[in-house]
Amino acid sequence: MNAYAQRVFDELKTKVPWEKEFLQSVEEVFNTLGAVLDENPQYEANRVLERMVIPDRAISFQVPWLDRNNKIQINTGYRVQFNDALGPYKGGLRFHPSVTLSVMKFLAFEQTFKDSLTTLPMGGAKGGSDFDPKGKTDFEVMNFCKSFIRELHHHIGPDVDVPAGDIGVGGREIGYLFGEYKRLTHRYCGVLTGKGIGWGGSLIRPEATGYGAIYFVQEMLARRNDSVAGKTVVISGYGNVAWGVAKKASELGARVVTISGSKGYVHCEGGLTGEMIAFMLELREKGLDLSVFADKFPGCKFYAGRKPWEVKADIAMPCATQNEVNGEDAAKLVANKVILVAEGSNMGCLPEAAACFQKNGVLFAPGKAVNAGGVATSCLEMSQNAGHTNWTSAEVDHRLHDIMVHIHAACVECGSRKDGTVDYIAGANIAGFKRVADAMVAQGI
Ligand code: NDP
Ligand code: 2IT
């Protein structure tokens, strides 16, 4: 690590030693900025790194709500508005029991560089709660969402901060949040993205993260005159991102052989069919157990308590949560001759796993580049809302594709090694960092 970056990182470590996920994401970015910091002394002179690791604002609030038995329940809500150098804050909301301030800060920090990579006008933010939507009735989820937005509405707006979905937050939650926002403010505006088609949502936004991830993978393979067609793909998760990846990869002729959840994975040797991919949506909407999938489709097998990375494949795409691929998982994938690993989830791989892929010549790309199609299409939703218009699926998909091609090119430009291969981690970090840093310098303190 460059001396300036090391000094800032060491100071951060002494300040918030308990924020493990946040420190992990900062270290990964700082590790790759050596040359950029050496070549641009104005960044240190303007103390850009020190300013980049402290959120502009981190809001934490109480969310009381009534459950189905009229009992009072209490959760903690967060919104971390990390950096607005490039535009209004933008980033998702996560409802999951594992949510802490550290998780929110790592996601908002990553989001700042991801949003920058899209070249669209968005700053970085993230929010959410330790609320667990699993096992709750629609009524309970609605009560929670109303209470959550009652505080959050003070801090957001179409030109201020525009939240969206993430783990545990999909169309249903965005609907409840939007409905209550309207009641509280008397404003019908693009304050949230991921809205329903028909009331301000954009076509292709549900598919966008997964489709974008596959468009990125296509670009990675194209540099080797290769393609997605005929490849065997293992993915984790069965949520929004996993669904989009499975749909597009299958459409392009790949065989997607796994999906997974926190309790295990399903292996479908013949590859997921259209019916199976559609059933992923039903599973999530009804909150069914993943094992139901294997019961419904003969030929698919559920492996309880195991991860999909033990299955032989050409391409592996973590699409569930952070740090879901460890060094051991990576070694298994490498031993099985995986050629490409692309993160659909944010920080899906532990540093030791990413290092293992890079050391063994596996093409590896980080979430902030691979999954940026989701937030990019959120920005396209904001454009449609601001222009009081709707674009066709083809129009949105075309723009999404162009954005992913551009992000890939930026990673190649900033991450090319002397031997012609690409360090996508460095490429994504450097390309994302430069735009944010230059804007911060230009805007002063
Ligand atoms: P969903 O809530 O739709 O699905 C989450 C999936 O991940 C489920 O299959 C869930 O399985 C699994 N999962 C969640 N937490 C854990 C855990 N602790 N251990 C194992 N499995 C887990 O979320 P998304 O698909 O929206 O998000 C998935 C990832 O993609 C996240 O990292 C998110 O930040 C990232 N992302 C999402 C974007 C979006 O537009 N939605 C955009 C860019 C990135 P189970 O229910 O069994 O726990
Ligand atoms: O991690 C992410 O980029 C998201 N959850 C999507 C954010 C958004 O604002 O669409």
Side-chain angles (χ1 to χ4, degrees):
M1 203 183 278
N2 153 293
Y4 167 44
Q6 188 70 59
R7 204 171 61 243
V8 176
F9 184 65
D10 288 345
E11 221 167 89
L12 188 67
K13 263 199 303 195
T14 60
K15 262 195 195 160
V16 286
W18 55 86
E19 292 187 349
K20 299 266 182 290
E21 296 86 358
F22 177 52
L23 289 170
Q24 183 186 331
S25 62
V26 172
E27 188 171 24
E28 190 238 73
V29 171
F30 279 17
N31 266 334
T32 57
L33 297 180
V36 182
L37 295 170
D38 291 343
E39 286 159 19
N40 294 277
Q42 75 275 18
Y43 295 153
E44 183 170 356
N46 283 275
R47 305 196 67 184
V48 163
L49 293 187
E50 290 91 327
R51 291 158 58 199
M52 254 186 201
V53 295
I54 301 177
D56 290 348
R57 221 163 281 107
I59 302 145
S60 161
F61 52 95
Q62 186 191 119
V63 190
W65 55 281
L66 285 182
D67 70 14
R68 67 191 101 166
N69 302 313
N70 265 340
K71 290 250 158 24
I72 297 171
Q73 301 289 340
I74 299 149
N75 289 98
T76 304
Y78 301 94
R79 187 70 180 168
V80 176
Q81 298 176 332
F82 221 106
N83 187 302
D84 71 347
L86 297 179
Y89 301 105
K90 184 81 195 89
L93 297 173
R94 177 178 291 192
F95 293 168
H96 194 274
S98 62
V99 162
T100 60
L101 183 59
S102 169
V103 169
M104 295 285 98
K105 283 175 72 177
F106 116 67
L107 287 163
F109 181 76
E110 290 277 299
Q111 195 80 39
T112 301
F113 303 107
K114 182 196 304 192
D115 293 0
S116 165
L117 276 172
T118 67
T119 72
L120 297 169
M122 298 183 283
K126 199 81 183 191
S129 173
D130 56 1
F131 172 74
D132 186 357
K134 280 226 177 100
K136 304 290 191 300
T137 62
D138 281 356
F139 183 74
E140 288 175 318
V141 171
M142 183 171 75
N143 276 351
F144 173 81
C145 287
K146 283 183 170 192
S147 183
F148 182 84
I149 200 79
R150 204 162 270 262
E151 173 59 35
L152 190 68
H153 88 278
H154 294 298
H155 311 284
I156 60 176
D159 298 316
V160 180
D161 182 357
V162 183
D166 193 79
I167 293 177
V169 178
R172 174 182 62 168
E173 290 74 19
I174 295 292
Y176 295 149
L177 294 165
F178 186 69
E180 190 68 359
Y181 179 86
K182 251 182 348 159
R183 278 177 211 108
L184 290 164
T185 63
H186 296 189
R187 281 189 168 69
Y188 201 116
C189 56
V191 67
L192 291 157
T193 58
K195 299 184 290 301
I197 312 299
W199 47 275
S202 174
L203 290 163
I204 302 292
R205 176 62 189 90
E207 293 86 350
T209 311
Y211 279 22
I214 292 295
Y215 295 153
F216 193 92
V217 167
Q218 278 186 305
E219 292 303 300
M220 292 170 82
L221 290 171
R223 289 191 85 248
R224 289 184 169 188
N225 297 319
D226 203 350
S227 74
V228 172
K231 297 284 184 300
T232 302
V233 184
V234 285
I235 60 177
S236 60
Y238 62 95
N240 174 262
V241 178
W243 168 74
V245 165
K247 207 159 153 351
K248 183 53 77 179
S250 308
E251 196 182 299
L252 294 172
R255 193 166 56 99
V256 179
V257 294
T258 64
I259 53 173
S260 77
S262 35
K263 293 185 185 142
Y265 77 91
V266 170
H267 184 205
C268 305
E269 181 62 47
L272 299 181
T273 61
E275 194 192 349
M276 292 175 186
I277 294 168
F279 188 63
M280 287 167 77
L281 291 177
E282 205 178 314
L283 266 184
R284 199 159 53 101
E285 270 160 24
K286 294 189 177 153
L288 298 173
D289 213 87
L290 185 58
S291 57
V292 172
F293 196 95
D295 298 339
K296 185 175 161 76
F297 298 105
C300 294
K301 208 168 164 220
F302 181 67
Y303 292 90
R306 281 160 65 174
K307 299 200 254 180
W309 317 125
E310 60 191 19
V311 175
K312 183 171 169 51
D314 305 307
I315 297 174
M317 297 184 67
C319 297
T321 192
Q322 66 272 6
N323 293 334
E324 51 174 321
V325 183
N326 61 28
E328 225 177 279
D329 301 323
K332 280 184 201 161
L333 286 164
V334 168
N336 277 326
K337 306 221 170 350
V338 73
I339 57 172
L340 185 153
V341 179
E343 291 178 339
S345 46
N346 286 306
M347 206 164 77
C349 297
L350 277 155
E352 74 219 34
C356 172
F357 296 133
Q358 289 195 325
K359 197 177 93 203
N360 286 284
V362 175
L363 286 176
F364 174 76
K368 62 171 79 69
V370 176
N371 69 35
V375 73
T377 307
S378 276
C379 196
L380 301 181
E381 182 172 328
M382 291 163 70
S383 301
Q384 292 169 78
N385 292 163
H388 303 280
T389 190
N390 296 313
W391 298 337
T392 62
S393 296
E395 166 90 41
V396 178
D397 198 18
H398 181 72
R399 287 181 188 242
L400 167 64
H401 187 264
D402 278 358
I403 291 166
M404 297 315 296
V405 169
H406 174 87
I407 294 175
H408 180 268
C411 290
V412 172
E413 189 188 324
C414 296
S416 282
R417 301 186 183 99
K418 285 198 181 87
D419 65 2
T421 61
V422 180
D423 179 344
Y424 284 95
I425 302 181
N429 287 342
I430 293 166
F433 170 83
K434 271 174 139 172
R435 289 190 73 231
V436 180
D438 289 341
M440 287 172 73
V441 171
Q443 291 168 21
I445 52 162

